[in-house]
Amino acid sequence: MSEAIPSSMTTAAWTADLGRAVRLFKAFGVEQTDPDLFYGTLAADSAGQLSAYADLRGATMLDVGGGPGYFADAFRAAGATYYAIDSDLGELSGRGEPVPGTVLGSGMALPVGDGKVDICFSSNVLEHVPDPWLMADEMVRVTRPGGTIFLSYTGWWGPHGGHETAPWHYLGGHRAARRYERLQGKPPKNKFGESLFPITVAGGLRWARACTDAELVAALPRYHPRWAYGVLAVPGVREFATWNLVLVLRRR
C-alpha cells in the first residue's frame, strides 16, 4: 500500500500541488452561496484524481451518492460510461430532473450484480451512512476483478467533521445541531445521528487493510498537496489533520 500516488500512474492534467489545494479550499468557502462553483470544481478535480489510478475512457463507472449531476458531467466528459445511485431524491433533483443513468437506491444494498463495473466511486458519502463499512463492502462487491474502488469521506474529528455545524461538533453532534438551529432559525441539512455520523480515519484504514476481496493501493488526505501526505502516518494527529480521507483499492 502506498500513501501517495505512484509516479507511474500520475497524469499531466492533474497534480496534487499547493495551487490545487488552494483552489479547492477557496471553493469550499462558497459551498452554500455558489454550489455550482463548489461542486463543479470538486467534480472536475475528482475526475483528474481518479484518472491517476484508472483509465476513465470507456470505463463503466458507478458513483454511489452521485447527487444532482456535477460528477456525471465531469466523468462523462472524461470518457466514462457513468451511472449513479443516490438514496435522496432531493439530491438527485438538485438541478432539475435527475440526469439519465441515475437510480434511487441505498449504498448499503446496491441494486447491482457482482463484478459489474470497472470503477466504483464515492465522494463524501460514507459519513452520511449509518453503516459505512457495509457500503464500502458493497462497492467492492460490484466491482470486477482488476477494477478500481475509490472512496473518500470527511472524518468526524477534522475541522469540517460537523459540516455546517463545525467547529461546534467538537462539543457534541447534537449540541452543535441545536446551536445551529438556534442561530439560523432552521435545523442543519446534515442531522447528527440521522444523516451525519461520526466516522474516523483510523476506521477507514482498518477496513481497507482488512478487506480480503480488494488490495489497498493508496490512502491519502484528499485535498492536501503531496508534501503534506505524511500527516496520515501519525495516529491521533491524522484524525484532525487529514480532513478528508481517500482510499483507493484494486479488486482481487
Side-chain angles (χ1 to χ4, degrees):
M1 187 275 291
S2 169
E3 292 186 351
I5 299 172
S7 59
S8 62
M9 302 177 74
T10 56
T11 63
W14 186 91
T15 182
D17 59 15
L18 181 60
R20 171 220 174 223
V22 170
R23 287 192 300 274
L24 286 172
F25 281 106
K26 284 183 176 179
F28 296 151
V30 297
E31 177 182 1
Q32 301 295 321
T33 58
D34 192 349
D36 286 347
L37 174 61
F38 169 69
Y39 288 106
T41 299
L42 183 59
D45 182 79
S46 298
Q49 190 170 31
L50 179 55
S51 293
Y53 298 98
D55 188 353
L56 297 178
R57 295 168 297 179
T60 300
M61 176 179 181
L62 177 66
D63 183 354
V64 182
Y70 297 101
F71 286 91
D73 293 344
F75 285 116
R76 286 173 177 161
T81 300
Y82 174 96
Y83 301 95
I85 290 173
D86 202 301
S87 63
D88 188 335
L89 182 59
E91 287 292 326
L92 286 175
S93 307
R95 294 196 294 171
E97 289 295 317
V99 299
T102 59
V103 174
L104 190 66
S106 170
M108 295 179 290
L110 294 174
V112 178
D114 296 356
K116 294 299 185 182
V117 301
D118 300 312
I119 300 168
C120 197
F121 172 91
S122 183
S123 173
N124 296 336
V125 175
L126 285 181
E127 68 264 31
H128 302 292
V129 175
D131 192 341
W133 311 124
L134 175 58
M135 177 179 138
D137 286 339
E138 279 287 276
M139 291 177 63
V140 173
R141 178 186 65 80
V142 304
T143 305
R144 64 165 176 81
T148 300
I149 301 99
F150 181 108
L151 51 91
S152 80
Y153 63 90
T154 301
W156 176 253
W157 297 110
H160 193 57
H163 288 45
E164 66 267 45
T165 69
W168 301 99
H169 66 292
Y170 288 124
L171 300 179
H174 292 299
R175 179 180 293 181
R178 290 194 297 269
R179 179 184 183 278
Y180 181 94
E181 184 168 6
R182 185 170 66 253
L183 294 177
Q184 301 296 327
K186 60 180 180 180
K189 173 185 174 183
N190 300 287
K191 298 178 181 178
F192 183 76
E194 297 180 27
S195 59
L196 179 64
F197 302 89
I199 183 172
T200 64
V201 171
L205 294 173
R206 281 195 302 271
W207 169 82
R209 290 166 178 162
C211 184
T212 58
D213 293 326
E215 175 190 3
L216 179 59
V217 174
L220 51 96
R222 183 179 186 180
Y223 307 130
H224 292 23
R226 189 185 307 275
W227 50 260
Y229 283 1
V231 299
L232 195 59
V234 186
V237 172
R238 65 188 172 204
E239 294 294 340
F240 177 83
T242 298
W243 191 287
N244 188 286
L245 178 66
V246 166
L247 297 170
V248 183
L249 298 95
R250 195 82 63 214
R251 182 72 156 92
R252 298 186 193 275

